[in-house]
Amino acid sequence: MTDTPIKTRRDGAILEVTLDRPKANAIDLATSRIMGETFLAFRDDPALRVAIITGAGEKFFCPGWDLKAAADGDAVDGDYGVGGFGGLQEMRAMNKPVIAAVNGIACGGGLELALSADMILAADHAQFALPEIRSGTVADAASVKLPKRIPYHIAMELLLTGRWFDAKEAHRWGLVNEVVPAGTLIDRAWELARLLASGPPLVYAAIKEIVRDAEDAKFQDAMNRITKSQLPSVEKLYRSEDQLEGARAFAEKRDPVWKGR
């Protein structure tokens, strides 16, 4: 269908997901559910290794919740579908790398969507904000994530004031990995995706599970869960062909061939 709000492009092991809802790429309940099914299919497809999430056009990545849809009856606490709002921020066991390519304004739930990715690239004209405070509501996911990603006092300033900040400032605080010219954003995202797609998928899965599991754990407790074989992705890695292939390739001074098993 040509009028679907989500466009996908698949090339080898990489899936590009583009939010395309004129005029601003805002997300309503129906769009969120489609995004959830898209990322669920990506998660469960063994042939796919990396995803890119971006927005159509050059003005908006995503402004978050579609207030017009809300005025027409979409409930803010309605059924967002699998993966929660935007299909990504509550997706369980997402053990594959996801890159956000922020092509323009990312505010409110749009910034929270970007925060759900593992890496964030931003066009040099991108703008960010968490303006929920000004409409008497809370940026819930950002309130959980942002103070863990950037200095606490900066995160609280952004949450409590709702002020706008540009890509340069976002990079300064470590919120984005790179700032690139707008015309090169998607090319750079695909370059990074190809690099990740060439790597060991079972190792990526183990890294992501360890990071999630350890987020609120004490160091020794997190290490004990690894050594006591309590993390499925780590155990799968340690008993995999790829684990042996990595050692053999190192010993033979050649590039490894990863099979994901």
Side-chain angles (χ1 to χ4, degrees):
M1 294 175 61
T2 58
D3 60 348
T4 178
I6 302 301
K7 306 294 195 301
T8 59
R9 170 189 170 197
R10 180 170 179 160
D11 186 355
I14 302 168
L15 179 70
E16 179 184 285
V17 179
T18 301
L19 178 58
D20 187 6
R21 282 196 79 225
K23 300 180 178 179
N25 294 334
I27 297 175
D28 62 358
L29 290 178
T31 299
S32 182
R33 290 192 288 267
I34 295 171
M35 294 176 76
E37 293 301 325
T38 300
F39 284 114
L40 180 65
F42 162 72
R43 187 196 71 179
D44 294 343
D45 187 337
L48 288 171
R49 297 188 178 185
V50 185
I52 299 167
I53 174 68
T54 192
E58 296 183 356
K59 187 174 182 180
F60 291 99
F61 171 72
C62 175
W65 179 239
D66 187 338
L67 295 178
K68 185 177 183 298
D72 290 338
D74 265 12
V76 69
D77 58 351
D79 179 12
Y80 292 110
V82 61
F85 181 80
L88 194 56
Q89 65 184 16
E90 296 178 63
M91 179 64 71
R92 295 182 181 275
M94 176 56 85
N95 287 339
K96 299 176 181 181
V98 179
I99 302 166
V102 179
N103 55 298
I105 290 172
C107 62
L111 178 49
E112 291 176 327
L113 177 61
L115 287 171
S116 300
D118 300 296
M119 301 179 190
I120 305 176
L121 307 181
D124 51 10
H125 70 284
Q127 296 282 326
F128 304 86
L130 293 164
E132 283 85 347
I133 187 73
R134 299 178 183 178
S135 57
T137 189
V138 62
D140 47 11
S143 296
V144 174
K145 294 180 178 181
L146 199 62
K148 298 177 181 180
R149 307 287 180 84
I150 65 176
Y152 172 84
H153 297 97
I154 303 302
M156 293 305 292
E157 175 197 348
L158 299 176
L159 287 163
L160 293 172
T161 67
R163 72 171 177 86
W164 289 87
F165 56 103
D166 61 17
K168 184 177 180 180
E169 182 178 356
H171 186 260
R172 183 164 78 246
W173 298 126
L175 187 63
V176 304
N177 296 78
E178 297 178 30
V179 179
V180 300
T184 68
L185 177 66
I186 293 301
D187 287 343
R188 175 58 185 140
W190 275 83
E191 180 183 16
L192 181 56
R194 290 188 183 99
L195 173 64
L196 295 175
S198 70
L202 296 184
V203 177
Y204 293 159
I207 289 170
K208 291 200 64 173
E209 185 174 24
I210 290 170
V211 170
R212 283 197 310 272
D213 187 74
E215 187 171 20
D216 295 312
K218 293 180 180 179
F219 174 79
Q220 196 57 58
D221 291 340
M223 290 302 297
N224 288 343
R225 283 179 55 76
I226 297 170
T227 57
K228 292 179 180 179
S229 304
Q230 294 177 347
L231 299 184
S233 64
V234 178
E235 290 308 296
K236 183 176 180 179
L237 168 66
Y238 287 167
R239 289 159 177 74
S240 67
E241 293 180 31
D242 278 2
Q243 178 84 18
L244 294 174
E245 168 63 9
R248 288 169 181 156
F250 179 83
E252 296 168 7
K253 299 180 180 180
R254 60 174 175 81
D255 291 333
V257 179
W258 308 117
K259 297 181 179 178
R261 60 176 189 266

PDB file of all heavy atoms in Angstrom, residues 10-15 41-43 45-50 96:
ATOM      1  N   ARG A  10      14.732  -3.054   2.595  1.00  0.00           N
ATOM      2  CA  ARG A  10      15.573  -4.151   3.057  1.00  0.00           C
ATOM      3  C   ARG A  10      16.690  -4.396   2.055  1.00  0.00           C
ATOM      4  O   ARG A  10      16.444  -4.523   0.858  1.00  0.00           O
ATOM      5  CB  ARG A  10      14.726  -5.407   3.236  1.00  0.00           C
ATOM      6  CG  ARG A  10      15.487  -6.625   3.713  1.00  0.00           C
ATOM      7  CD  ARG A  10      14.533  -7.736   4.080  1.00  0.00           C
ATOM      8  NE  ARG A  10      15.229  -8.937   4.529  1.00  0.00           N
ATOM      9  CZ  ARG A  10      14.693  -9.914   5.244  1.00  0.00           C
ATOM     10  NH1 ARG A  10      13.411  -9.833   5.590  1.00  0.00           N
ATOM     11  NH2 ARG A  10      15.397 -10.960   5.613  1.00  0.00           N
ATOM     12  N   ASP A  11      17.905  -4.466   2.568  1.00  0.00           N
ATOM     13  CA  ASP A  11      19.066  -4.732   1.713  1.00  0.00           C
ATOM     14  C   ASP A  11      19.999  -5.636   2.491  1.00  0.00           C
ATOM     15  O   ASP A  11      20.635  -5.210   3.459  1.00  0.00           O
ATOM     16  CB  ASP A  11      19.770  -3.431   1.340  1.00  0.00           C
ATOM     17  CG  ASP A  11      20.898  -3.659   0.326  1.00  0.00           C
ATOM     18  OD1 ASP A  11      21.183  -4.828  -0.009  1.00  0.00           O
ATOM     19  OD2 ASP A  11      21.497  -2.668  -0.121  1.00  0.00           O
ATOM     20  N   GLY A  12      20.066  -6.897   2.089  1.00  0.00           N
ATOM     21  CA  GLY A  12      20.891  -7.850   2.811  1.00  0.00           C
ATOM     22  C   GLY A  12      20.384  -8.035   4.229  1.00  0.00           C
ATOM     23  O   GLY A  12      19.209  -8.323   4.454  1.00  0.00           O
ATOM     24  N   ALA A  13      21.258  -7.812   5.201  1.00  0.00           N
ATOM     25  CA  ALA A  13      20.919  -8.023   6.601  1.00  0.00           C
ATOM     26  C   ALA A  13      20.418  -6.750   7.283  1.00  0.00           C
ATOM     27  O   ALA A  13      20.237  -6.730   8.502  1.00  0.00           O
ATOM     28  CB  ALA A  13      22.132  -8.560   7.352  1.00  0.00           C
ATOM     29  N   ILE A  14      20.178  -5.702   6.508  1.00  0.00           N
ATOM     30  CA  ILE A  14      19.807  -4.397   7.073  1.00  0.00           C
ATOM     31  C   ILE A  14      18.367  -4.044   6.698  1.00  0.00           C
ATOM     32  O   ILE A  14      17.953  -4.208   5.551  1.00  0.00           O
ATOM     33  CB  ILE A  14      20.768  -3.299   6.575  1.00  0.00           C
ATOM     34  CG1 ILE A  14      22.210  -3.644   6.962  1.00  0.00           C
ATOM     35  CG2 ILE A  14      20.375  -1.934   7.141  1.00  0.00           C
ATOM     36  CD1 ILE A  14      23.247  -2.783   6.278  1.00  0.00           C
ATOM     37  N   LEU A  15      17.631  -3.525   7.676  1.00  0.00           N
ATOM     38  CA  LEU A  15      16.271  -3.058   7.450  1.00  0.00           C
ATOM     39  C   LEU A  15      16.201  -1.574   7.799  1.00  0.00           C
ATOM     40  O   LEU A  15      16.535  -1.174   8.913  1.00  0.00           O
ATOM     41  CB  LEU A  15      15.273  -3.823   8.323  1.00  0.00           C
ATOM     42  CG  LEU A  15      13.809  -3.387   8.181  1.00  0.00           C
ATOM     43  CD1 LEU A  15      13.262  -3.799   6.820  1.00  0.00           C
ATOM     44  CD2 LEU A  15      12.961  -3.963   9.310  1.00  0.00           C
ATOM     45  N   ALA A  41       8.904  -8.155  13.657  1.00  0.00           N
ATOM     46  CA  ALA A  41       9.340  -8.984  12.526  1.00  0.00           C
ATOM     47  C   ALA A  41      10.841  -8.888  12.331  1.00  0.00           C
ATOM     48  O   ALA A  41      11.513  -9.889  12.043  1.00  0.00           O
ATOM     49  CB  ALA A  41       8.603  -8.558  11.258  1.00  0.00           C
ATOM     50  N   PHE A  42      11.384  -7.683  12.499  1.00  0.00           N
ATOM     51  CA  PHE A  42      12.841  -7.511  12.419  1.00  0.00           C
ATOM     52  C   PHE A  42      13.539  -8.324  13.501  1.00  0.00           C
ATOM     53  O   PHE A  42      14.505  -9.055  13.230  1.00  0.00           O
ATOM     54  CB  PHE A  42      13.195  -6.027  12.564  1.00  0.00           C
ATOM     55  CG  PHE A  42      14.633  -5.771  12.929  1.00  0.00           C
ATOM     56  CD1 PHE A  42      15.651  -5.964  12.008  1.00  0.00           C
ATOM     57  CD2 PHE A  42      14.963  -5.340  14.213  1.00  0.00           C
ATOM     58  CE1 PHE A  42      16.975  -5.740  12.348  1.00  0.00           C
ATOM     59  CE2 PHE A  42      16.289  -5.113  14.562  1.00  0.00           C
ATOM     60  CZ  PHE A  42      17.298  -5.312  13.637  1.00  0.00           C
ATOM     61  N   ARG A  43      13.050  -8.213  14.719  1.00  0.00           N
ATOM     62  CA  ARG A  43      13.668  -8.941  15.830  1.00  0.00           C
ATOM     63  C   ARG A  43      13.711 -10.438  15.590  1.00  0.00           C
ATOM     64  O   ARG A  43      14.703 -11.113  15.910  1.00  0.00           O
ATOM     65  CB  ARG A  43      12.879  -8.665  17.119  1.00  0.00           C
ATOM     66  CG  ARG A  43      13.505  -9.223  18.380  1.00  0.00           C
ATOM     67  CD  ARG A  43      12.517  -9.271  19.526  1.00  0.00           C
ATOM     68  NE  ARG A  43      11.498 -10.330  19.315  1.00  0.00           N
ATOM     69  CZ  ARG A  43      10.521 -10.606  20.167  1.00  0.00           C
ATOM     70  NH1 ARG A  43      10.385  -9.881  21.267  1.00  0.00           N
ATOM     71  NH2 ARG A  43       9.655 -11.573  19.914  1.00  0.00           N
ATOM     72  N   ASP A  45      13.485 -12.155  12.680  1.00  0.00           N
ATOM     73  CA  ASP A  45      13.974 -12.621  11.380  1.00  0.00           C
ATOM     74  C   ASP A  45      15.474 -12.890  11.478  1.00  0.00           C
ATOM     75  O   ASP A  45      16.273 -11.958  11.603  1.00  0.00           O
ATOM     76  CB  ASP A  45      13.702 -11.568  10.303  1.00  0.00           C
ATOM     77  CG  ASP A  45      14.037 -12.064   8.903  1.00  0.00           C
ATOM     78  OD1 ASP A  45      14.854 -12.993   8.765  1.00  0.00           O
ATOM     79  OD2 ASP A  45      13.484 -11.498   7.930  1.00  0.00           O
ATOM     80  N   PRO A  46      15.898 -14.152  11.425  1.00  0.00           N
ATOM     81  CA  PRO A  46      17.321 -14.454  11.593  1.00  0.00           C
ATOM     82  C   PRO A  46      18.202 -13.896  10.479  1.00  0.00           C
ATOM     83  O   PRO A  46      19.426 -13.793  10.653  1.00  0.00           O
ATOM     84  CB  PRO A  46      17.352 -15.989  11.613  1.00  0.00           C
ATOM     85  CG  PRO A  46      16.109 -16.410  10.896  1.00  0.00           C
ATOM     86  CD  PRO A  46      15.090 -15.362  11.212  1.00  0.00           C
ATOM     87  N   ALA A  47      17.609 -13.534   9.352  1.00  0.00           N
ATOM     88  CA  ALA A  47      18.408 -12.994   8.246  1.00  0.00           C
ATOM     89  C   ALA A  47      18.694 -11.508   8.412  1.00  0.00           C
ATOM     90  O   ALA A  47      19.558 -10.965   7.712  1.00  0.00           O
ATOM     91  CB  ALA A  47      17.687 -13.234   6.922  1.00  0.00           C
ATOM     92  N   LEU A  48      17.992 -10.845   9.316  1.00  0.00           N
ATOM     93  CA  LEU A  48      18.207  -9.418   9.543  1.00  0.00           C
ATOM     94  C   LEU A  48      19.059  -9.204  10.782  1.00  0.00           C
ATOM     95  O   LEU A  48      18.843  -9.852  11.816  1.00  0.00           O
ATOM     96  CB  LEU A  48      16.866  -8.695   9.700  1.00  0.00           C
ATOM     97  CG  LEU A  48      16.036  -8.543   8.428  1.00  0.00           C
ATOM     98  CD1 LEU A  48      14.646  -8.009   8.755  1.00  0.00           C
ATOM     99  CD2 LEU A  48      16.741  -7.632   7.423  1.00  0.00           C
ATOM    100  N   ARG A  49      20.000  -8.273  10.692  1.00  0.00           N
ATOM    101  CA  ARG A  49      20.933  -8.058  11.796  1.00  0.00           C
ATOM    102  C   ARG A  49      20.928  -6.643  12.355  1.00  0.00           C
ATOM    103  O   ARG A  49      21.288  -6.446  13.511  1.00  0.00           O
ATOM    104  CB  ARG A  49      22.356  -8.420  11.348  1.00  0.00           C
ATOM    105  CG  ARG A  49      22.523  -9.886  10.963  1.00  0.00           C
ATOM    106  CD  ARG A  49      23.970 -10.235  10.717  1.00  0.00           C
ATOM    107  NE  ARG A  49      24.143 -11.653  10.397  1.00  0.00           N
ATOM    108  CZ  ARG A  49      25.320 -12.241  10.230  1.00  0.00           C
ATOM    109  NH1 ARG A  49      26.432 -11.522  10.331  1.00  0.00           N
ATOM    110  NH2 ARG A  49      25.385 -13.528   9.948  1.00  0.00           N
ATOM    111  N   VAL A  50      20.566  -5.664  11.552  1.00  0.00           N
ATOM    112  CA  VAL A  50      20.622  -4.261  11.973  1.00  0.00           C
ATOM    113  C   VAL A  50      19.412  -3.529  11.410  1.00  0.00           C
ATOM    114  O   VAL A  50      19.004  -3.781  10.277  1.00  0.00           O
ATOM    115  CB  VAL A  50      21.909  -3.563  11.477  1.00  0.00           C
ATOM    116  CG1 VAL A  50      22.000  -2.134  12.036  1.00  0.00           C
ATOM    117  CG2 VAL A  50      23.150  -4.358  11.848  1.00  0.00           C
ATOM    118  N   LYS A  96      19.258  -7.010  18.723  1.00  0.00           N
ATOM    119  CA  LYS A  96      19.949  -6.591  17.504  1.00  0.00           C
ATOM    120  C   LYS A  96      20.154  -5.079  17.556  1.00  0.00           C
ATOM    121  O   LYS A  96      19.328  -4.350  18.112  1.00  0.00           O
ATOM    122  CB  LYS A  96      19.129  -6.960  16.268  1.00  0.00           C
ATOM    123  CG  LYS A  96      18.882  -8.455  16.111  1.00  0.00           C
ATOM    124  CD  LYS A  96      17.986  -8.727  14.909  1.00  0.00           C
ATOM    125  CE  LYS A  96      17.702 -10.218  14.748  1.00  0.00           C
ATOM    126  NZ  LYS A  96      16.845 -10.489  13.569  1.00  0.00           N
TER     127      LYS A  96
END
